[in-house]
Each structure stands twice: as C-alpha cells, then as structure tokens.
Amino acid sequence: MSYLLTIIRVYLGWSWLTAGLGKITEGKFDASGFLQGALSKISGDHPAVPGWWGFFIENIALPNVELFNVLVPWGELLVGIALLLGVFTSFAALMGVMMNFSYLFSGTTSTNPQMLLLELIILIAGANAAKIGLDYWVMPFIRKNGFNKESQALSVE
C-alpha cells in the first residue's frame, strides 16, 4: 500500500510543483482577474460561487490581492516540494485540500476534484502515505527532539 500511496503523493506533488513554478517563473502572477471572474459567478439561478465566498473575495481577497499574488504560487510550490519529498506530508496534503477547496468555491473545476480526492486519501492514510519519504526519518526526529515539552524542560534544568 505504501507504494501506491507514494505514487499518489508524487503525482500530487508534481502537479502542485509545476503549477506553482509556472506562476513564479512566467512573470508576475496576478490573481485579480481570477477573483473578479469568481465574483461574476455569485448571481443567477444557479450560482457557481456561494455568496459567503463572494463576500470573502470582495472584502478580503481583492483588497489584499498583492498578498494573494505571493501566497498562491509559493503555496503551490511548497506543497508540491513537500509532497514530492514526503516531508510534513499530512500538513502539505491539508494545505493542498485548502487550496483545492478555495478554487472550487471560486467556481473552477478543472483538476481540483481529482486532486482533492487524492489528497483526502493521503490524509486518511496518515503516516503510511510517507513511509517512503523523508517523514520516515523527520517525524521520529521531531517527536524525539523537537516539540516535546518534557525534553525541553529537562534540557533547561
């Protein structure tokens, strides 16, 4: 099962990496057109964008579009790298889920449902999704040395 999960994880990582890298290297990424397009989909008999998401776009995302112009491509790139390497895999998959839901809420389908489903499989698999990856060594190291309050308290004494 670890081999199948690795294939899924690497596929997702490559998808995120290429999407983010393309936005970073092709020049100045600008999300304002995408966000304006999403706003146009909040009305009608069958709106593709929920009203509450339209409120978020109009009042938070668009006024801060310069921040989103940095967060989106770098978020995609970093999620891609983490999934490819199998490091912080569950967190990377969760961030991928958040981005895919953001795109879906904005009325864009594309590969987002497929990626979302695969990311959920990675999340459900938990540590098994990164047995063939850096998490195999990184997570035990962190548990032993990193964020353990007892070991920090002992080292202070």
Side-chain angles (χ1 to χ4, degrees):
M1 196 56 154
S2 293
Y3 294 109
L4 177 60
L5 291 167
T6 300
I7 291 168
I8 293 170
R9 194 190 78 233
V10 168
Y11 167 76
L12 286 168
W14 183 254
S15 298
W16 282 118
L17 177 87
T18 56
L21 196 58
K23 289 176 179 74
I24 292 168
T25 60
E26 289 176 7
K28 185 166 171 38
F29 170 72
D30 186 7
S32 58
F34 176 80
L35 295 170
Q36 290 290 348
L39 271 180
S40 70
K41 299 175 187 175
I42 63 171
S43 59
D45 291 338
H46 303 285
V49 176
W52 64 270
W53 190 253
F55 179 86
F56 167 79
I57 291 172
E58 189 171 25
N59 295 293
I60 296 172
L62 276 171
N64 299 294
V65 73
E66 292 302 319
L67 175 63
F68 284 87
N69 288 342
V70 174
L71 291 177
V72 170
W74 284 99
E76 291 177 349
L77 180 75
L78 292 172
V79 164
I81 291 169
L83 289 173
L84 278 171
L85 297 176
V87 64
F88 305 117
T89 303
S90 293
F91 181 72
L94 179 62
M95 294 302 100
V97 165
M98 297 295 292
M99 286 189 286
N100 284 128
F101 269 123
S102 296
Y103 303 145
L104 287 167
F105 285 141
S106 298
T108 302
T109 306
S110 185
T111 60
N112 292 303
Q114 169 190 313
M115 290 177 72
L116 181 60
L117 179 62
L118 294 174
E119 289 156 352
L120 291 174
I121 290 169
I122 296 293
L123 284 173
I124 291 167
N128 289 325
K131 278 193 174 181
I132 304 172
L134 293 181
D135 277 345
Y136 181 80
W137 294 282
V138 171
M139 297 314 285
F141 178 82
I142 288 174
R143 280 188 210 102
K144 181 179 177 190
N145 301 310
F147 299 104
N148 185 343
K149 291 181 183 178
E150 291 174 13
S151 68
Q152 289 175 357
L154 293 174
S155 66
V156 173
E157 296 172 4

